[in-house]
Amino acid sequence: MPNDFTLSCPPPFTPRKTVVLGHGSGGKLSAQLIREIFLPAFDNPWLRKLDDQAVISIDGGRIAFTTDAFVVTPLFFPGGDIGELAVNGTVNDLAMSGARPVCLSAAFILEEGFPLEDLARVTQSMARAAAAAGVAIATGDTKVVNKGSADRMFVTTAGIGVVPEGVEISASNARPGDRVLLSGTIGDHGMAVMSRREGLEFDGAILSDTAPLDRLVEAMLAAGEIHALRDPTRGGLGTSLCEMAAASKVGVEIDARLIPVREEVRAACELLGLDPLFVANEGKLVSFVRAEDAGAVLAAMRQRPEGREAAIIGEAVAAHPGMVLMKTEIGGTRVVDLPFGEQLPRIC
Amino acid sequence: MKYLDEYRDAGLAGKLAEQIRRTATRPAALMEICGGQTHSIVKYGLDELLPREVELVHGPGCPVCVTPLEMLDRAHAIARRPEVIFCSFGDMLRVPGSRGDLFQIKAEGGDVRVVYSPLDCLKLARAHPDRQVVFFAVGFETTAPANAMAVWQARAQGLANFSVLVSHVLVPPAITGILESPNNRVQAFLGPGHVCAVMGWREYEPLAARYRVPVVITGFEPVDLLEGILMAVRQLAQGRAEVENQYARAVTREGNPEAQRRMFQVFETCDRAWRGIGVIPESGYRLRPEFQEFDAGRRFEVESIRPEEPEACISGLVLQGVKKPHDCPAFAKECTPQTPLGATMVSAEGACAAYYNYGRHLVRHAE
């Protein structure tokens, strides 16, 4: 070992010239794509809000409008499938503005050779999910591509909903003092898909939490003043909280001990070296609620099956705007930051 | 979760912290060797529980951080080949070589896959007899037995399309290097729990005796780390310098003889370059001559790739515990996990990345 250390270090990172998987992770790379490519090209007041939906005023009424693409592998996973996900995902993006979803579109990109039986199965599942959420799939499109040009099937759904009068919900509306409410356990969907992908078996199967949240939101709105809502899908709860803290310019302080995580999910995350805070959910929401109303809203959430395990996990503060801090299990504090790209399992 | 929750217990952690406060009456700099330990310390905010007298210094035990640039460039050259399925542990994918990282190579059409075990590569090799399956065998003594087993089984199964690019590093020579350094200020070590689960702690006894430095083999959960710190601080207070074992549920003095036997059948020690530190004698493993047919470096003729590293950051000093991440003027400014200037910012286990991800609020307070 040399005694006078010659310091060495890798050359500075060159900006990427091509799309990498991390660009679709919901983390910092995704944010960079939006900031550097999409926003400058499409710039308008609706998009600039960076909400999961645009709320558009038409003839005195307000319409929520959103779209989402679904590319999950495997197509069928414990607790759901790509069809159910495609309906619930768009219903939930609408619901996160407080809107009552009305109807959806569905577009299918199918790979040559894809079994019609599987297509029928996905379609029936979409129909069931739409009926459960009380929305119609009112229009659609189909394209078929050469074998190898897509992975079996991709689904895109778009949706519109009506925003009730007086409801003003946006990721940028959280205020210091607001309580942070989470509707239930985190990480179920991501770990259901991942454990199937990695061929892991656990004592209790982990099921996806895919579910429509529009009725839960309706119940919350009736119980109190909701400032911000988000469904922490890709990127997980950690990502949603960081985005909301940044958009609202508030600090967020949460307590790890108050965040419900299912035992099997925690175990799977430990095994795979992942942090449940950044694992996807498909039937959960996190919301910033006026402090005085937090108790009533929590009670209303717990009345509904999709909010039975709801909890108050922290609050918004005026200090450290844009930064999320978490009290750890042993009483220390850490920063919760947007992940860079995909979560990577560590070596040891 | 059984066997985990009891080691993340706030009450127990508080009691241990109180005992540390009572024991640590003089300033003490302790180095935790493993990146995994650094990760836990910052993730759980452990350092906030410690008295001012106890300073934790982060060690060189992040395999991703210390893998030299030349091995990365060789790995990337192999991964770019169309006939190759290049397999790696997850966090190696983002480590930049001279020209981008494995993610970039994947985006450009390279077949790069994350595996959890090198034995998964053997399955891939059997399933794709027309392809070359290469595993990037990095890590400390912890990952060496499984990597050795993969090579051993490949030979037993006559898998001609499997090979490994070996960049293994060893802990005791690195500790010697740190203790020999004129800059050294480490007074006690939290020894590497998982390395010792394989190797035992016998080889740390001469180090503790020769340099009069306590070594406490320590686990990775918050309560493990606090207990390890307490044991180290107690040794310092009592003027002892011994090897003690906090991680008794996983580690014995002899380690795992079966794993060691397999490792030494396949690997032999060699000099190894550590990124940010330099060449440390006898600090790595390479394949023994009888297994050289499985050496990907030879098979793909990449051994002539020897890039020069430009000087830029202080990762070498961070890896040796001389500097803290936020001592670097580039920390959280030019250098972030998104734009890492140094290896310690790349891996989740790297001290700089751990500080960036979990401990940035402390840096702000310090300013």
Side-chain angles (χ1 to χ4, degrees):
Chain A
M1 176 134 167
N3 266 351
D4 55 329
F5 302 104
T6 38
L7 298 180
S8 55
C9 140
F13 209 54
T14 43
R16 296 185 185 279
K17 292 202 166 57
T18 44
V19 172
V20 294
L21 270 182
H23 281 123
S25 67
K28 285 184 180 166
L29 280 175
S30 307
Q32 198 180 351
L33 270 196
I34 293 170
R35 200 172 54 240
E36 291 173 10
I37 302 211
F38 297 126
L39 264 182
F42 302 143
D43 186 46
N44 62 60
W46 298 287
L47 193 61
R48 230 174 284 148
K49 289 191 103 157
L50 294 180
D51 276 326
D52 286 340
Q53 69 299 112
V55 174
I56 301 159
S57 298
I58 300 173
D59 292 341
R62 287 181 306 159
I63 300 289
F65 177 41
T66 190
T67 184
D68 212 336
F70 297 83
V71 295
V72 63
T73 307
L75 296 177
F76 303 95
F77 47 81
D81 58 53
I82 190 172
E84 201 176 340
L85 220 53
V87 170
N88 289 340
T90 291
V91 164
N92 292 345
D93 279 348
L94 293 172
M96 293 310 117
S97 66
R100 184 175 52 78
V102 178
C103 59
L104 308 187
S105 72
F108 300 88
I109 297 172
L110 306 174
E111 184 190 17
E112 192 181 20
F114 182 61
L116 284 175
E117 193 189 332
D118 286 348
L119 179 60
R121 209 174 136 194
V122 169
T123 313
Q124 278 147 21
S125 160
M126 289 177 82
R128 272 195 305 274
V135 295
I137 297 178
T139 182
D141 186 42
T142 310
K143 297 283 187 293
V144 178
V145 297
N146 286 317
K147 191 150 189 73
S149 295
D151 183 11
R152 294 154 55 88
M153 86 179 299
F154 300 146
V155 184
T156 297
T157 50
I160 56 169
V162 177
V163 185
E165 197 149 334
V167 172
E168 286 295 341
I169 295 172
S170 165
S172 54
N173 277 358
R175 296 162 208 177
D178 282 356
R179 296 295 185 266
V180 183
L181 275 66
L182 175 68
S183 70
T185 56
I186 59 167
D188 299 67
H189 174 75
M191 293 324 292
V193 172
M194 222 167 310
S195 56
R196 173 55 61 93
R197 221 183 277 164
E198 297 293 337
L200 297 178
E201 309 229 345
F202 297 97
D203 282 351
I206 302 175
L207 300 181
S208 168
D209 58 353
T210 178
L213 298 170
D214 51 324
R215 291 193 177 91
L216 180 65
V217 172
E218 206 177 298
M220 292 168 69
L221 284 170
E225 190 176 306
I226 315 292
H227 294 153
L229 275 175
R230 200 144 260 195
D231 57 335
T233 53
R234 173 184 71 167
L237 176 66
T239 299
S240 289
L241 287 175
C242 287
E243 289 171 350
M244 294 163 96
S248 300
K249 301 185 183 67
V250 295
V252 175
E253 294 184 355
I254 55 171
D255 188 328
R257 286 164 293 198
L258 301 178
I259 300 173
V261 186
R262 238 176 264 294
E263 194 72 2
E264 311 85 274
V265 171
R266 281 178 61 202
C269 283
E270 285 291 337
L271 269 178
L272 298 178
L274 305 174
D275 187 340
L277 267 185
F278 298 103
V279 175
N281 311 281
E282 290 292 345
K284 297 291 153 36
L285 62 80
V286 58
S287 91
F288 286 75
V289 178
R290 188 168 71 165
E292 305 88 288
D293 299 344
V297 173
L298 182 69
M301 290 170 84
R302 286 183 171 165
Q303 293 287 314
R304 292 207 48 91
E306 62 273 34
R308 211 177 48 235
E309 292 167 280
I312 298 180
I313 61 165
E315 61 182 327
V317 295
H320 55 87
M323 191 183 272
V324 180
L325 293 183
M326 181 165 83
K327 199 72 138 175
T328 69
E329 290 85 337
I330 58 148
T333 318
R334 66 175 252 203
V335 174
V336 176
D337 195 13
L338 273 189
F340 171 76
E342 304 271 294
Q343 270 205 89
L344 297 174
R346 296 189 294 119
I347 288 181
C348 58
Chain B
M1 213 180 322
K2 223 175 156 193
Y3 308 123
L4 268 182
D5 288 342
E6 47 271 56
Y7 299 101
R8 294 176 186 171
D9 182 81
L12 199 46
K15 275 186 205 142
L16 285 165
E18 179 49 37
Q19 280 178 278
I20 292 169
R21 264 192 293 280
R22 273 189 272 127
T23 313
T25 47
R26 275 172 303 176
L30 315 185
M31 174 179 274
E32 81 278 1
I33 294 290
C34 295
Q37 293 168 331
T38 305
H39 191 82
S40 264
I41 287 165
V42 192
K43 178 172 173 188
Y44 288 99
L46 261 187
D47 35 356
E48 283 175 56
L49 303 188
L50 297 177
R52 192 170 307 170
E53 285 76 17
V54 177
E55 183 195 356
L56 292 177
V57 176
H58 313 306
C62 162
V64 171
C65 300
V66 300
T67 300
L69 184 61
E70 63 182 36
M71 292 309 284
L72 289 162
D73 281 3
R74 289 173 192 178
H76 295 175
I78 294 170
R80 282 194 185 93
R81 297 173 70 107
E83 77 275 27
V84 165
I85 299 175
F86 193 86
C87 304
S88 169
F89 292 129
D91 48 359
M92 286 305 293
L93 264 64
R94 241 181 54 210
V95 185
S98 298
R99 286 200 294 138
D101 56 19
L102 286 167
F103 273 124
Q104 195 65 43
I105 290 166
K106 186 169 187 284
E108 286 161 10
D111 193 343
V112 178
R113 304 191 191 186
V114 171
V115 291
Y116 276 94
S117 159
L119 297 173
D120 293 343
C121 304
L122 301 185
K123 276 186 228 154
L124 276 173
R126 281 193 297 272
H128 301 277
D130 52 326
R131 306 280 301 278
Q132 285 286 335
V133 175
V134 181
F135 178 67
F136 197 5
V138 297
F140 283 86
E141 293 94 324
T142 324
T143 52
N147 295 351
M149 182 57 100
V151 175
W152 181 269
Q153 288 192 0
R155 190 172 71 168
Q157 295 168 12
L159 275 175
N161 65 330
F162 172 75
S163 58
V164 287
L165 185 65
V166 180
S167 187
H168 271 295
V169 277
L170 309 177
V171 169
I175 292 189
T176 307
I178 287 161
L179 289 169
E180 289 281 337
S181 157
N183 295 328
N184 175 52
R185 53 195 199 89
V186 176
Q187 292 160 272
F189 288 93
L190 302 184
H194 290 149
V195 166
C196 291
V198 174
M199 299 302 289
W201 75 72
R202 264 207 304 204
E203 52 186 339
Y204 297 84
E205 288 169 343
L207 286 175
R210 180 164 171 214
Y211 297 96
R212 296 287 307 150
V213 61
V215 178
V216 181
I217 311 304
T218 304
F220 297 80
E221 295 301 325
V223 167
D224 288 323
L225 286 155
L226 286 168
E227 194 180 19
I229 292 166
L230 176 62
M231 289 165 80
V233 168
R234 200 175 272 156
Q235 282 203 46
L236 288 172
Q238 296 170 351
R240 290 184 291 127
E242 297 161 14
V243 180
E244 290 182 304
N245 183 20
Q246 181 279 327
Y247 204 27
R249 67 186 185 280
V251 177
T252 62
R253 183 166 179 269
E254 308 304 321
N256 181 340
E258 184 59 28
Q260 292 168 24
R261 197 172 58 84
R262 186 65 80 207
M263 277 159 66
F264 295 129
Q265 280 168 337
V266 174
F267 294 128
E268 60 186 12
T269 53
C270 63
D271 296 350
R272 175 78 64 205
W274 295 51
R275 195 170 202 179
I277 296 180
V279 175
I280 304 179
E282 298 289 305
S283 69
Y285 286 144
R286 66 178 171 216
L287 289 169
R288 286 187 175 278
E290 56 268 40
F291 287 94
Q292 270 174 7
E293 56 181 306
F294 294 99
D295 184 347
R298 284 175 171 243
R299 186 175 296 186
F300 299 99
E301 297 174 347
V302 292
E303 284 169 337
S304 60
I305 298 177
R306 290 183 188 282
E308 292 277 320
E309 291 209 64
E311 273 184 43
C313 82
I314 65 162
S315 66
L317 292 175
V318 172
L319 286 168
Q320 293 160 69
V322 178
K323 293 266 189 189
K324 283 281 174 70
H326 50 256
D327 293 333
C328 177
F331 176 79
K333 297 188 180 84
E334 299 95 286
C335 187
T336 70
Q338 209 167 351
T339 54
L341 294 177
T344 43
M345 187 57 99
V346 173
S347 164
E349 281 175 42
C352 292
Y355 266 63
Y356 185 89
N357 286 330
Y358 302 126
R360 243 162 39 246
H361 60 300
L362 303 175
V363 182
R364 291 211 170 171
H365 291 317
E367 272 172 4

